[in-house]
């Protein structure tokens, strides 16, 4: 499912126009991004939890040249499915 299809499903399920559903989806995504950027967790009971994980710097190998390279530390977004979502799958 892509964003357009998701907007259509939201519009149909909530009785909104597609324009309003797109605005709602965009606002939701922006709110989640903002919270993660600030280092907060976003918990949606029954659906799951979005959080930020820190990956430490590490050494890797370039597969083309077989040389060792340094991979910088970074932060990554993480999603853990809630119990209801896991059970539904």
């Amino acid at each position: 499912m892509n964003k357009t299809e998701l907007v259509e499903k939201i519009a149909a399920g909530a009785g909104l126009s597609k324009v309003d559903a797109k605005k709602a989806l965009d606002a939701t995504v922006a709110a989640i991004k903002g919270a993660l950027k600030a280092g907060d967790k976003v918990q949606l009971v029954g659906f799951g939890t979005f959080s930020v994980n820190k990956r430490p710097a590490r050494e890797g190998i370039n597969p083309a040249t077989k040389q060792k390279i340094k991979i910088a530390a970074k932060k990554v977004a993480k999603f853990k499915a809630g119990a209801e979502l896991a059970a539904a799958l």
Side-chain angles (χ1 to χ4, degrees), residues 17-76:
S17 69
K18 287 182 186 177
V19 172
D20 289 340
K22 183 178 183 313
K23 286 179 185 176
L25 179 60
D26 290 342
T28 302
V29 170
I32 292 171
K33 277 184 195 177
L36 292 177
K37 222 174 185 181
D40 296 334
K41 274 201 253 183
V42 178
Q43 293 179 311
L44 303 173
V45 177
F47 184 70
T49 303
F50 295 92
S51 61
V52 177
N53 248 10
K54 294 178 184 174
R55 286 195 181 160
R58 62 191 193 280
E59 216 173 68
I61 297 175
N62 181 339
T65 64
K66 308 294 185 208
Q67 289 183 326
K68 290 186 178 183
I69 57 172
K70 291 188 179 189
I71 301 170
K74 67 178 180 177
K75 293 180 183 178
V76 294

